[in-house]
Amino acid sequence: MDWVKIMLNAIGGGVDSGILSTMKQSPADFNSTLYDLSGTIASDVGKPLASAVLSVVLVLQLINAANRAEGDRQTGVKLIGITMIQCAVILAFAQNARMILQTINAVGDWAMGTVDAATSVSTGGGGGNLGDMIGDQHLNPLDTGLSVMLLLLPFLVSKVAGIVVTVVVYLRFIQLYLMAGFASMPVAFLGNEHTRAWGIGYFKRYAETVFQTVILFLSVAFYQHLDVNHPGKLADGQALSGWIIDNFGQLILASVLLIAVVALSNKVAKAIFGE
């Protein structure tokens, strides 16, 4: 009896409360050790590399300015002066690139908090604790054994769905830490028209990764309100195994749909950022 309740609760649970709480965390709160480590990498590796990149960009810009001057001394001085100011501004931004990412993180945290307040996402999918509908009624051993066998496949699919959501959330946080470690380099690329798209693409991808988690959280909220997560209740006198057979397709579909929702949220986030 307990096994049947546990399996039904797992199938109807959708996304665990722990991973929902993890989605709402900022990179600094998710893992402070990795967050600090990415800051160390940014300081010890990212900034020196950015300085090297910026020196090359500066030389290219000076050559371009000299070519555009075409022997006009006054124009050449103006172009070189503008180039030096531009590189100085980019250097200042490169040295403080982490602050740019923190701003993006803050916007993402605000969006997540707003979505959380608006949707009130709860623990478990729309089906809730399906095992509780059985109550304390006694099941005969044959019906219990048959119910366990029938629930085995939906139960395994629900566990796979939960693992997929957890892996996606963890990978996105790791991606943010890795990208934050080299934030200064993309800023340096902004100094040249030929590499500017690289720098813009980096910050675009970072913002996309931040909002992928927000979109996933919102997708879970939509998922919880779908009718597929509300199978009919066990009628009085109805055999549990018969109820499972009647709702077998729906029990599997709920978990499969959750996996599809994860993939869909990724596509939606890319579409929002024009990919």
Side-chain angles (χ1 to χ4, degrees):
M1 183 66 175
D2 290 338
W3 277 101
V4 173
K5 286 187 176 182
I6 292 173
M7 295 173 79
L8 281 173
N9 287 339
I11 295 169
V15 179
D16 183 75
S17 60
I19 195 62
L20 286 174
S21 299
T22 300
M23 287 186 201
K24 294 186 284 186
Q25 291 180 332
S26 66
D29 296 332
F30 174 72
N31 192 307
S32 58
T33 301
L34 291 180
Y35 184 78
D36 294 338
L37 179 58
S38 67
T40 301
I41 297 299
S43 179
D44 297 345
V45 181
K47 289 182 179 180
L49 288 176
S51 299
V53 170
L54 190 58
S55 64
V56 176
V57 170
L58 175 59
V59 170
L60 293 176
Q61 290 295 89
L62 290 175
I63 293 174
N64 185 46
N67 292 333
R68 290 171 60 188
E70 295 181 351
D72 188 337
R73 181 183 237 178
Q74 186 175 2
T75 303
V77 171
K78 289 181 179 180
L79 290 174
I80 291 175
I82 293 173
T83 300
M84 297 300 293
I85 293 174
Q86 181 185 24
C87 289
V89 172
I90 291 176
L91 179 60
F93 274 101
Q95 294 297 320
N96 297 279
R98 191 172 176 84
M99 295 180 62
I100 301 176
L101 300 187
Q102 289 173 346
T103 301
I104 297 175
N105 292 336
V107 174
D109 292 341
W110 168 82
M112 180 66 79
T114 304
V115 169
D116 183 29
T119 58
S120 299
V121 181
S122 61
T123 303
N129 295 326
L130 292 178
D132 294 344
M133 69 179 184
I134 303 175
D136 297 325
Q137 63 177 296
H138 177 71
L139 299 180
N140 63 70
L142 179 61
D143 193 29
T144 301
L146 182 57
S147 298
V148 170
M149 292 178 60
L150 291 171
L151 289 174
L152 183 59
L153 181 58
F155 173 75
L156 292 177
V157 175
S158 70
K159 286 301 181 181
V160 170
I163 292 173
V164 169
V165 175
T166 303
V167 169
V168 168
V169 173
Y170 273 67
L171 285 178
R172 285 176 182 169
F173 276 111
I174 293 175
Q175 182 177 353
L176 293 178
Y177 295 139
L178 291 173
M179 296 182 71
F182 298 92
S184 298
M185 288 182 61
V187 176
F189 288 135
L190 295 175
N192 186 273
E193 60 181 2
H194 298 294
T195 59
R196 190 166 297 140
W198 301 357
I200 295 174
Y202 166 85
F203 288 106
K204 179 181 176 182
R205 181 58 59 86
Y206 188 90
E208 178 186 314
T209 304
V210 170
F211 276 86
Q212 277 178 344
T213 305
V214 179
I215 298 300
L216 176 59
F217 190 87
L218 182 59
S219 300
V220 171
F222 289 171
Y223 165 82
Q224 290 187 358
H225 291 85
L226 294 175
D227 292 337
V228 70
N229 298 313
H230 300 269
K233 293 185 178 181
L234 184 66
D236 294 337
Q238 182 182 12
L240 180 60
S241 57
W243 177 88
I244 295 174
I245 293 174
D246 292 339
N247 296 277
F248 188 77
Q250 196 167 356
L251 292 174
I252 294 181
L253 178 61
S255 299
V256 173
L257 185 61
L258 179 58
I259 298 176
V261 163
V262 174
L264 180 63
S265 67
N266 185 52
K267 291 183 178 179
V268 171
K270 288 181 179 294
I272 291 175
F273 284 87
E275 292 189 11

